[in-house]
Amino acid sequence: MDHGQSAHLRLLKTVDVDVRLGFEEVFLHHLDALYRTSLRLTRSKADAEDLLQETLLRAFKGYHQLLDHTKARAWLFQILINTFYNWKKKQKREPPIIDVELSEDLVASSLDVPVYNPVEVFDSMLTDEIEAALGQLHSEFRLVVLLYDVEGLSYDEIAEVCRCSKGTVASRLYRAREILRGALEEYAQRHGYL
């Protein structure tokens, strides 16, 4: 255990029991969703566990800032995503993407139109091919797919978590789904889903 981790453990032990129990209840309620997202973002069990641990520590330090516990899910995902982005900056493994912001009218009209959702089609059978297709997405595209299609966050919550506009969320989700559709179309035809 490094010096930073032992300092964090000392911090946890010195905090008021009621505060610690309140935090544990909030965090544990969302732990599975946070871990799933961490694992899919990092594509490594060890990295996902490290990311989740760092998220836990940052959330605990900032727990006093969470005034509305009904927003705990978005707040925790925001901490997870910020921690992930910091980790990615250190890694510098991926080139940045260029976002195209969609107009509010286009966003509103796209919300009314039924959209082919590859994650929904294959929800009952997450195979290696599907996981691989998700893994090939740029991390910012993969993130919106995971937060919207897998974890059920709204466009507004995702915009808050990712610190971007609702139009950017819609654009990233649309582009991610198109990439997934292309990657999975042959697989779906081969198995009789399309």
Side-chain angles (χ1 to χ4, degrees):
M1 179 180 304
D2 69 18
H3 177 68
Q5 287 178 326
S6 62
H8 293 308
L9 291 175
R10 283 194 305 275
L11 171 71
L12 289 173
K13 290 178 183 176
T14 61
V15 173
D16 181 86
V17 172
D18 291 334
V19 172
R20 191 173 71 230
L21 291 175
F23 172 76
E24 287 173 1
E25 183 179 328
V26 167
F27 191 81
L28 291 175
H29 183 71
H30 301 288
L31 184 61
D32 289 342
L34 292 166
Y35 180 72
R36 273 192 312 269
T37 303
S38 295
L39 190 57
R40 288 191 170 126
L41 287 173
T42 62
R43 295 180 245 162
S44 158
K45 186 176 178 181
D47 288 341
E49 290 170 356
D50 289 346
L51 177 60
L52 192 60
Q53 180 180 10
E54 185 62 29
T55 299
L56 165 72
L57 295 172
R58 288 180 183 202
F60 188 75
K61 284 181 179 179
Y63 184 63
H64 65 281
Q65 297 171 349
L66 179 64
L67 302 176
D68 183 357
H69 285 237
T70 63
K71 296 183 178 188
R73 183 178 178 87
W75 178 74
L76 287 168
F77 273 103
Q78 185 170 22
I79 293 170
L80 175 76
I81 301 315
N82 289 341
T83 304
F84 174 72
Y85 285 149
N86 290 338
W87 179 74
K88 288 299 284 182
K89 283 180 187 175
K90 291 177 186 175
Q91 300 295 320
K92 293 188 180 189
R93 291 190 288 195
E94 234 174 31
I97 62 169
I98 299 172
D99 279 323
V100 177
E101 188 160 327
L102 301 177
S103 72
E104 290 297 320
D105 293 336
L106 187 55
V107 170
S109 67
S110 72
L111 295 177
D112 296 333
V113 176
V115 178
Y116 169 72
N117 182 344
V119 174
E120 207 171 85
V121 170
F122 299 109
D123 192 36
S124 63
M125 50 175 280
L126 280 178
T127 65
D128 290 339
E129 279 198 51
I130 296 166
E131 286 291 334
L134 280 169
Q136 293 301 313
L137 288 174
H138 189 283
S139 62
E140 293 185 1
F141 291 159
R142 186 170 58 249
L143 177 63
V144 295
V145 169
L146 293 173
L147 294 178
Y148 186 80
D149 291 324
V150 178
E151 300 304 334
L153 271 68
S154 69
Y155 276 51
D156 290 329
E157 289 173 317
I158 297 169
E160 185 179 327
V161 166
C162 295
R163 295 189 175 155
C164 63
S165 73
K166 193 171 158 182
T168 299
V169 170
S171 173
R172 288 179 184 176
L173 187 59
Y174 174 80
R175 290 167 67 189
R177 286 176 172 169
E178 286 298 304
I179 293 167
L180 285 174
R181 185 179 57 78
L184 297 174
E185 196 169 77
E186 181 184 320
Y187 176 81
Q189 288 173 347
R190 201 171 51 233
H191 290 86
Y193 291 101
L194 291 179

